[in-house]
Amino acid sequence: MNVFIIGIGLIGGSFARDIRRLRPDTTFYGIDANESHLEEALALGLIDKKSDYSELSVADMVIVSIPVDVLVEELPKILDVVNDDCVVFDGGSTKSLICKVLEDHPKRRNFLAAHPIAGTEFSGPSAAIENLYAGKTNIICEVEKTAFKLQERALELFQDMGMRIRYMNPQAHDKHIAYVSHLSHISSFMLGKTVIEKEKNERDIFDMAGSGFESTVRLAKSSPAMWTPIFKHNKENVVETLEEYIQNLQKFMQLIKDDDYEGIYREMNDTNKIKEILNGIPLNNSKTVTNK
């Protein structure tokens, strides 16, 4: 099998590691705008050779893991040149615009809209890890628009990697992911910003930051180049979630101002049920947890 990975970072590189383990006869081709990423991926054994779009006609599978603003521009070009027996899937964190852009493409049947809910705060080829996707959910949108034999090829791989498969329409995906992923990244970035602006002495931050702060602000180390386009593409849903989040923060602040500590206790106690909701999600170390 010839697998092309477009965007050799955490997501694409982790796919390469798992596919190489599961399908050892695979040849991996890498395409990336960053030449140093290609060289690093070669050195790490993530890919076997550097490539470009002119060779996509020999691909059996193309994995596209680039920022979503670039995805909407590049996916039509990629589909233009792949052969009829090639499956192309992405890992983008938004789906509505991507699916809209491709809805009338002559090779729409070759594309599978996917979003594996996995990742870390790290980026680049060296961030790729084996078994990143084991036990994680992979959301598939508009599966009925992908040729059956091609979706089968991708779904079999996802299942062999240990992923759970969920099917969802693009609009529902973008709304739900705004709450469970996009909002948490904004919260982390803004918590980090608040502390940096208030605590001017960086040594004080380092010395006094406990594990709670570290785990909460971890996502603030994520790539702004990746997350800014996500917030742009999912603007309506992100704004809605922020409005609700800000209302909850304001309510909590008012409870403190009013010395209503029974109310504060109730707010936190009611929220404790999140432990039950997340009970089935494995807790890994910080290098193997998030979304993304």
Side-chain angles (χ1 to χ4, degrees):
M1 184 166 67
N2 292 324
V3 172
F4 281 68
I5 300 179
I6 302 178
I8 314 293
L10 166 68
I11 298 301
S14 295
F15 266 110
R17 288 197 180 280
D18 281 353
I19 297 172
R20 193 177 292 281
R21 172 174 52 85
L22 295 166
R23 311 279 197 275
D25 292 335
T26 299
T27 300
F28 291 90
Y29 300 76
I31 300 176
D32 200 297
N34 188 326
E35 183 66 23
S36 66
H37 279 187
L38 288 172
E39 294 295 340
E40 187 178 353
L42 276 171
L44 292 169
L46 299 177
I47 60 175
D48 298 304
K49 61 175 292 187
K50 296 186 286 185
S51 188
D52 55 44
Y53 284 10
S54 67
E55 294 189 290
L56 281 174
S57 60
V58 304
D60 299 298
M61 179 179 288
V62 178
I63 302 168
V64 191
S65 52
I66 53 182
V68 291
D69 57 335
V70 187
L71 261 174
V72 296
E73 296 177 1
E74 295 303 309
L75 277 170
K77 302 175 189 176
I78 293 164
L79 288 173
D80 283 342
V81 293
V82 297
N83 67 75
D84 290 339
D85 195 41
C86 174
V87 60
V88 178
F89 67 85
D90 74 314
S93 188
T94 61
K95 283 286 161 282
S96 294
L97 183 56
I98 290 169
C99 290
K100 178 70 175 176
V101 165
L102 295 178
E103 64 181 352
D104 295 321
H105 194 283
K107 291 184 180 176
R108 174 63 183 84
R109 63 186 293 279
N110 290 79
F111 175 66
L112 184 71
H115 180 200
I117 311 298
T120 74
E121 68 271 33
F122 303 104
S123 59
S126 61
I129 53 178
E130 194 170 311
N131 286 319
L132 174 66
Y133 303 105
K136 303 301 194 302
T137 298
N138 193 356
I139 300 177
I140 309 296
C141 296
E142 298 186 337
V143 67
E144 71 283 355
K145 295 187 178 182
T146 307
F148 183 72
K149 67 175 182 178
L150 299 182
Q151 61 174 266
E152 267 196 324
R153 185 184 305 163
L155 292 172
E156 181 183 10
L157 175 64
F158 299 153
Q159 289 162 353
D160 287 348
M161 292 168 65
M163 284 193 270
R164 298 186 296 264
I165 307 299
R166 284 284 309 272
Y167 299 98
M168 197 174 289
N169 69 59
Q171 294 73 32
H173 167 276
D174 287 2
K175 185 175 184 65
H176 294 313
I177 210 70
Y179 281 94
V180 299
S181 173
H182 301 171
L183 180 59
S184 61
H185 280 78
I186 294 171
S187 299
S188 186
F189 276 113
M190 291 303 98
L191 174 59
K193 172 183 171 64
T194 302
V195 172
I196 289 172
E197 290 180 344
K198 187 64 177 178
E199 296 287 352
K200 302 301 183 181
N201 188 326
E202 295 180 3
R203 188 69 201 182
D204 286 344
I205 297 175
F206 181 82
D207 287 342
M208 298 177 66
S211 59
F213 174 78
E214 183 181 7
S215 62
T216 307
V217 81
R218 175 178 62 83
L219 297 179
K221 294 182 281 185
S222 300
S223 167
M226 180 180 75
W227 280 98
T228 302
I230 289 172
F231 299 145
K232 177 182 178 181
H233 277 210
N234 207 21
K235 174 183 175 180
E236 183 177 338
N237 290 313
V238 168
V239 168
E240 179 182 322
T241 63
L242 276 172
E243 287 174 344
E244 294 180 24
Y245 184 49
I246 290 167
Q247 287 174 8
N248 281 324
L249 288 174
Q250 290 174 331
K251 179 181 178 181
F252 198 86
M253 180 174 65
Q254 192 61 50
L255 289 172
I256 294 176
K257 287 181 175 180
D258 295 341
D259 293 323
D260 186 356
Y261 299 108
E262 289 185 6
I264 289 171
Y265 177 88
R266 286 195 300 272
E267 287 286 311
M268 294 189 293
N269 190 55
D270 290 345
T271 307
N272 269 172
K273 68 181 181 182
I274 198 72
K275 292 185 291 188
E276 300 171 15
I277 297 172
L278 299 179
N279 191 42
I281 299 177
L283 298 177
N284 301 321
N285 64 48
S286 65
K287 193 172 181 179
T288 59
V289 178
T290 190
N291 149 47
K292 97 253 24 223

